[in-house]
């Protein structure tokens, strides 16, 4: 298995409340050829905490160091015969190329796919969608952040009795391509003329939350572009990795107890307001969810539960087969290749994720983590001209995912109930009559 890691060097000290500049920070693509290379990188992570591994869920550490330490890393890699390529010499230049636009209020079509948007722009657009499509769209608040922001999203529904597709994105703040793609998907569900897209929009209730870590997302725009966690203070440090904080094998693998780590799992499962409120919201509709998608970047992977073991648990074979076919559909438009597998076999063990929790506690039939574009070049700094193609191919894959799920007998066409939920529901009715 070839793994590609990103390593970022952080230099200088970071003064809060002014935008941090990443001048002369370099991004490396590491090409481990076998498991012994992987062990070296693992040691590097544990011993030398200056490096920030970008690929999730590889263990990460982020420390501020001067750029001359680039030489250290290159020497360590050369001595150990691990191949590497610097892919971005100056991170700040890549950040500066990431255009951020304003959304024109009351004009839902002015949300476009050639730039990124700040939180308040996305939220204003959601409010305008509800005004523009009052019979179909309602805004939804799925929870509250540490700093008191709403986790705002929307529900698209063409009538009662439908099963749910749930899309959660932006839980890692710096993964900007995920809210952008999810907004595109939302727009397609409302405006596309493609018959399959229209059918998908009508057949399900869609619950879509583009930014589930609003504080972190705001921070990436105002202060620190490469922030990943939420913004809760922990001693002298900040932030909990919200995708290690869910109550499923919490802190078992790929998580840290060190608040300075990018994978810090928090003081306990659901210690964070974001995960606590969001999980409560999801639980209330949990038995109606057929498909749960957790959107991340990068690496071009489609991951399935669980993250604690490579064992094929639950309906693993169905989920992987459906996923592989959908990734075939994803590749048609631009040739983008994805790898499908469970979290542990595809990259590295990681637990406490939303996807594992949804699978374990809500028993949702089809749960996937998307790691969107790209693979080894720009990572979290995907240029704006890749927003539209990334969004289009991801939409193609979701439509095919629904198609394949039906072929595998996971749902009736139309607004049918999934069989496995029918039995407990009927039993409950009988009991309450008695
Ligand atoms: C970045 O590196 C270049 C070339 O070594 C140097 O001229 C420049 O001053 C550096 N910029 C910063 C902000 O350190
Ligand atoms: C992995 O997690 C799942 C869900 O909690 C559990 O059923 C399974 O026993 C775990 N496997 C291992 C090897 O820990
Ligand atoms: Zn992520």
């Amino acid at each position: 298995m070839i793994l590609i890691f990103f390593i970022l060097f952080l230099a200088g000290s970071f003064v809060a409340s002014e935008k941090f500049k990443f001048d002369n920070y370099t991004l490396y693509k590491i090409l481990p050829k076998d498991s012994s290379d992987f062990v070296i990188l693992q040691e590097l992570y544990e011993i030398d905490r200056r490096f920030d591994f970008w690929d999730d869920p590889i263990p990460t550490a982020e420390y501020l160091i001067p750029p001359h330490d680039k030489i250290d890393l290159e020497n360590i890699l050369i001595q150990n015969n691990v191949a590497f390529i610097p892919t971005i010499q100056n991170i700040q230049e890549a950040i500066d190329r990431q255009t951020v636009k304003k959304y024109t209020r009351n004009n839902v079509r002015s949300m476009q796919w050639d730039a990124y948007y700040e939180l308040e722009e996305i939220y204003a657009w959601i409010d305008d969608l509800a005004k523009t499509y009052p019979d179909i769209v309602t805004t939804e608040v799925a929870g509250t952040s540490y700093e008191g922001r709403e986790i705002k999203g929307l529900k698209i529904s063409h009538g009662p009795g439908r099963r749910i597709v749930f899309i959660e994105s932006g839980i890692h703040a710096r993964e900007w391509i995920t809210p952008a793609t999810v907004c595109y998907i939302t727009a397609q569900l409302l405006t596309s003329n493609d018959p399959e897209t229209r059918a998908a929009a009508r057949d399900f209730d869609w619950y879509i939350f583009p930014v589930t870590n609003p504080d972190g997302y705001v921070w990436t725009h105002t202060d620190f572009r490469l922030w990943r966690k939420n913004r809760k203070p922990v001693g002298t440090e900040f932030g909990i990795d919200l995708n290690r904080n869910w109550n499923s094998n919490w802190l078992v693998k790929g998580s840290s107890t060190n608040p300075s780590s990018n994978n810090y799992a928090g003081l306990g499962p659901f210690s964070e307001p974001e995960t606590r409120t969001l999980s409560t919201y999801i639980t209330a509709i949990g038995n109606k969810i057929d498909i749960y998608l957790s959107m991340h970047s990068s690496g071009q992977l489609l991951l399935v539960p669980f993250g604690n073991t490579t064992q094929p648990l639950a309906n693993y074979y169905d989920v992987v087969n459906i996923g592989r076919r959908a990734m075939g559909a994803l590749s048609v438009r631009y040739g983008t290749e994805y790898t499908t597998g469970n979290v542990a076999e595809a990259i590295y063990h990681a637990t406490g994720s939303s996807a594992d929790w949804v699978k374990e506690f809500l028993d949702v039939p089809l749960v996937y983590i998307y790691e969107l574009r790209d693979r080894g070049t720009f990572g979290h700094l995907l240029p704006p001209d890749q927003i539209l193609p990334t969004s289009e191919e991801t939409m193609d894959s979701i439509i095919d995912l629904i198609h394949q799920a039906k072929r595998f007998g996971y749902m009736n066409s139309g607004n049918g109930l999934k069989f496995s939920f029918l039995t407990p529901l009927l039993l409950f009715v009988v009991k309450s009559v008695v």
Side-chain angles (χ1 to χ4, degrees):
M1 178 170 56
I2 300 286
L3 295 170
I4 298 168
F5 299 175
F6 292 97
I7 297 185
L8 162 76
F9 283 84
L10 295 173
S13 57
F14 175 46
V15 183
S17 82
E18 67 184 46
K19 214 178 242 190
F20 186 83
K21 290 286 186 192
F22 291 86
D23 287 312
N24 289 346
Y25 290 30
T26 300
L27 185 65
Y28 288 84
K29 172 153 79 174
I30 313 292
L31 303 158
K33 60 189 173 313
D34 53 29
S35 55
S36 68
D37 282 5
F38 190 78
V39 170
I40 290 158
L41 292 162
Q42 184 71 33
E43 280 172 8
L44 197 60
Y45 158 70
E46 277 156 16
I47 296 163
D48 199 329
R49 301 181 65 85
R50 295 172 298 178
F51 313 128
D52 179 16
F53 290 69
W54 271 17
D55 274 348
D56 185 39
I58 284 167
T60 64
E62 188 177 81
Y63 270 79
L64 306 176
I65 61 139
H68 61 69
D69 285 351
K70 280 176 201 173
I71 301 296
D72 281 359
L73 177 76
E74 295 192 1
N75 284 341
I76 293 166
L77 295 174
I78 290 164
Q79 276 160 21
N80 289 290
N81 201 18
V82 179
F84 66 92
I85 309 161
T87 63
I88 306 178
Q89 287 290 356
N90 184 349
I91 293 270
Q92 189 56 43
E93 282 174 11
I95 290 174
D96 292 342
R97 281 195 296 270
Q98 292 205 301
T99 41
V100 177
K101 273 199 340 199
K102 292 283 179 200
Y103 157 73
T104 311
R105 300 292 191 274
N106 299 310
N107 177 5
V108 291
R109 289 190 184 250
S110 81
M111 169 71 79
Q112 285 168 355
W113 322 109
D114 56 357
Y116 296 99
Y117 290 87
E118 291 179 19
L119 184 76
E120 64 177 286
E121 308 297 307
I122 294 172
Y123 280 7
W125 180 68
I126 290 172
D127 289 340
D128 286 345
L129 287 175
K131 277 187 255 163
T132 309
Y133 304 97
D135 300 334
I136 304 166
V137 176
T138 44
T139 59
E140 292 282 321
V141 177
T144 315
S145 70
Y146 174 76
E147 291 176 349
R149 294 185 176 86
E150 290 180 333
I151 299 176
K152 186 185 280 196
L154 76 168
K155 175 185 177 184
I156 300 175
S157 179
H158 288 259
R162 285 160 166 80
R163 308 280 307 162
I164 293 170
V165 179
F166 196 104
I167 305 181
E168 159 239 299
S169 112
I171 204 165
H172 286 146
R174 63 194 180 181
E175 298 169 7
W176 281 11
I177 188 59
T178 67
T181 298
V182 162
C183 288
Y184 174 88
I185 290 165
T186 305
Q188 287 298 299
L189 290 169
L190 293 169
T191 63
S192 173
N193 293 320
D194 167 60
E196 278 196 288
T197 306
R198 297 188 70 80
R202 272 194 311 270
D203 289 351
F204 291 91
D205 282 352
W206 293 77
Y207 285 76
I208 302 177
F209 293 90
V211 187
T212 51
N213 175 8
D215 298 349
Y217 190 68
V218 166
W219 192 249
T220 62
H221 283 271
T222 58
D223 287 73
F224 196 88
R225 173 62 187 87
L226 294 170
W227 194 255
R228 167 182 164 103
K229 304 184 284 183
N230 77 352
R231 289 293 304 162
K232 188 164 97 177
V234 189
T236 56
E237 302 289 343
F238 283 90
I240 285 82
D241 183 345
L242 297 178
N243 211 34
R244 297 291 181 278
N245 188 243
W246 296 64
N247 188 17
S248 169
N249 293 312
W250 179 79
L251 202 59
V252 171
K253 299 237 168 109
S255 318
S256 173
T257 53
N258 182 344
S260 70
S261 164
N262 248 344
N263 282 346
Y264 175 52
L267 283 175
F270 290 142
S271 59
E272 301 313 294
E274 292 88 349
T275 51
R276 208 163 48 233
T277 53
L278 185 55
S279 62
T280 301
Y281 177 86
I282 297 169
T283 301
I285 53 171
N287 66 353
K288 291 195 281 186
I289 303 175
D290 271 350
I291 301 178
Y292 186 96
L293 306 177
S294 176
M295 310 305 272
H296 292 258
S297 70
S298 61
Q300 294 170 205
L301 303 165
L302 186 74
L303 307 176
V304 313
F306 285 89
N308 61 330
T309 172
T310 54
Q311 283 176 331
L313 297 178
N315 56 343
Y316 169 89
Y317 292 105
D318 281 355
V319 180
V320 164
N321 278 326
I322 291 167
R324 287 217 172 103
R325 286 173 163 80
M327 293 307 103
L330 185 149
S331 72
V332 170
R333 206 184 275 258
Y334 298 108
T336 309
E337 288 188 12
Y338 270 60
T339 306
T340 304
N342 89 11
V343 173
E345 69 188 334
I347 328 183
Y348 188 83
H349 293 72
T351 61
S353 69
S354 60
D356 276 8
W357 180 82
V358 162
K359 187 71 189 172
E360 183 175 355
F361 288 94
L362 303 181
D363 199 22
V364 170
L366 300 174
V367 179
Y368 294 97
I369 299 168
Y370 275 77
E371 297 281 353
L372 299 177
R373 287 194 194 188
D374 57 8
R375 186 177 270 178
T377 306
F378 294 103
H380 305 312
L381 301 175
L382 199 66
D385 64 3
Q386 291 200 42
I387 295 172
L388 183 58
T390 303
S391 300
E392 289 171 325
E393 69 197 11
T394 306
M395 186 75 203
D396 292 344
S397 75
I398 292 174
I399 297 301
D400 196 64
L401 198 63
I402 292 170
H403 175 66
Q404 299 299 339
K406 286 177 183 165
R407 285 188 56 211
F408 277 70
Y410 270 83
M411 50 198 82
N412 302 336
S413 56
N415 48 5
L417 280 167
K418 195 180 73 71
F419 180 74
S420 69
F421 287 116
L422 213 50
T423 316
L425 186 69
L426 287 173
L427 277 175
F428 176 74
V429 172
V430 170
K431 270 188 191 158
S432 54
V433 167
V434 170

Short mmCIF file of all heavy atoms in Angstrom, two decimals, residues 248-249 252-253 306 308-309 311 313 356 360, ligand 2:
data_model
loop_
_atom_site.label_atom_id
_atom_site.label_comp_id
_atom_site.label_asym_id
_atom_site.label_seq_id
_atom_site.Cartn_x
_atom_site.Cartn_y
_atom_site.Cartn_z
N SER A 248 -17.70 6.65 20.08
CA SER A 248 -17.53 5.32 19.52
C SER A 248 -16.05 4.98 19.59
O SER A 248 -15.23 5.63 18.92
CB SER A 248 -18.01 5.28 18.06
OG SER A 248 -17.61 4.08 17.45
N ASN A 249 -15.69 4.04 20.43
CA ASN A 249 -14.28 3.71 20.65
C ASN A 249 -13.44 4.97 20.88
O ASN A 249 -12.36 5.13 20.34
CB ASN A 249 -13.71 2.92 19.46
CG ASN A 249 -14.33 1.55 19.33
OD1 ASN A 249 -14.42 0.82 20.31
ND2 ASN A 249 -14.77 1.19 18.14
N VAL A 252 -9.48 5.32 21.38
CA VAL A 252 -8.87 4.00 21.24
C VAL A 252 -7.71 4.04 20.26
O VAL A 252 -6.62 3.55 20.53
CB VAL A 252 -9.93 2.95 20.83
CG1 VAL A 252 -9.29 1.63 20.46
CG2 VAL A 252 -10.92 2.75 21.97
N LYS A 253 -7.90 4.66 19.10
CA LYS A 253 -6.83 4.68 18.09
C LYS A 253 -6.79 6.02 17.35
O LYS A 253 -7.81 6.66 17.14
CB LYS A 253 -7.07 3.57 17.04
CG LYS A 253 -7.08 2.16 17.61
CD LYS A 253 -6.05 1.29 16.92
CE LYS A 253 -5.84 -0.01 17.65
NZ LYS A 253 -6.39 -1.17 16.94
N PHE A 306 -15.26 0.23 10.16
CA PHE A 306 -14.90 1.03 11.31
C PHE A 306 -13.44 1.43 11.25
O PHE A 306 -12.67 0.83 10.52
CB PHE A 306 -15.17 0.22 12.59
CG PHE A 306 -16.64 0.11 12.92
CD1 PHE A 306 -17.42 -0.91 12.41
CD2 PHE A 306 -17.25 1.06 13.74
CE1 PHE A 306 -18.77 -1.01 12.74
CE2 PHE A 306 -18.60 0.96 14.06
CZ PHE A 306 -19.37 -0.06 13.56
N ASN A 308 -11.34 1.18 13.85
CA ASN A 308 -10.53 0.54 14.89
C ASN A 308 -9.92 -0.78 14.43
O ASN A 308 -9.08 -1.34 15.10
CB ASN A 308 -11.40 0.28 16.13
CG ASN A 308 -12.56 -0.66 15.83
OD1 ASN A 308 -13.07 -0.68 14.71
ND2 ASN A 308 -12.97 -1.44 16.81
N THR A 309 -10.36 -1.30 13.29
CA THR A 309 -9.94 -2.63 12.89
C THR A 309 -10.10 -2.80 11.38
O THR A 309 -10.95 -2.15 10.77
CB THR A 309 -10.80 -3.70 13.62
OG1 THR A 309 -10.48 -4.98 13.06
CG2 THR A 309 -12.28 -3.45 13.43
N GLN A 311 -11.00 -5.61 10.26
CA GLN A 311 -12.02 -6.65 10.12
C GLN A 311 -13.25 -6.11 9.40
O GLN A 311 -13.67 -4.99 9.65
CB GLN A 311 -12.48 -7.13 11.50
CG GLN A 311 -11.51 -8.05 12.18
CD GLN A 311 -11.99 -8.39 13.59
OE1 GLN A 311 -12.68 -7.60 14.24
NE2 GLN A 311 -11.61 -9.56 14.05
N LEU A 313 -16.62 -5.57 9.46
CA LEU A 313 -17.74 -5.62 10.41
C LEU A 313 -19.03 -5.14 9.75
O LEU A 313 -19.02 -4.50 8.71
CB LEU A 313 -17.44 -4.74 11.63
CG LEU A 313 -16.23 -5.15 12.47
CD1 LEU A 313 -16.02 -4.16 13.61
CD2 LEU A 313 -16.39 -6.57 13.02
N ASP A 356 -18.21 6.37 12.49
CA ASP A 356 -18.24 5.15 13.31
C ASP A 356 -19.41 5.20 14.30
O ASP A 356 -20.08 4.21 14.54
CB ASP A 356 -16.93 4.98 14.09
CG ASP A 356 -15.86 4.30 13.25
OD1 ASP A 356 -16.08 4.10 12.04
OD2 ASP A 356 -14.79 3.97 13.81
N GLU A 360 -22.36 2.58 14.56
CA GLU A 360 -22.46 1.74 15.76
C GLU A 360 -23.76 1.99 16.52
O GLU A 360 -24.43 1.04 16.93
CB GLU A 360 -21.26 1.99 16.69
CG GLU A 360 -21.29 1.08 17.91
CD GLU A 360 -20.05 1.22 18.79
OE1 GLU A 360 -19.11 1.95 18.42
OE2 GLU A 360 -20.03 0.58 19.85
C1 LIG B 2 -14.21 -2.24 16.63
O1 LIG B 2 -15.33 -1.43 16.95
C2 LIG B 2 -16.57 -2.08 16.77
C3 LIG B 2 -17.64 -1.05 17.07
O2 LIG B 2 -17.48 -0.54 18.36
C4 LIG B 2 -16.67 -3.30 17.69
O3 LIG B 2 -17.89 -3.97 17.47
C5 LIG B 2 -15.49 -4.23 17.39
O4 LIG B 2 -15.50 -5.30 18.32
C6 LIG B 2 -14.18 -3.49 17.48
N1 LIG B 2 -13.11 -4.39 17.05
C7 LIG B 2 -11.90 -4.41 17.63
C8 LIG B 2 -10.93 -5.38 17.06
O5 LIG B 2 -11.62 -3.70 18.57
#
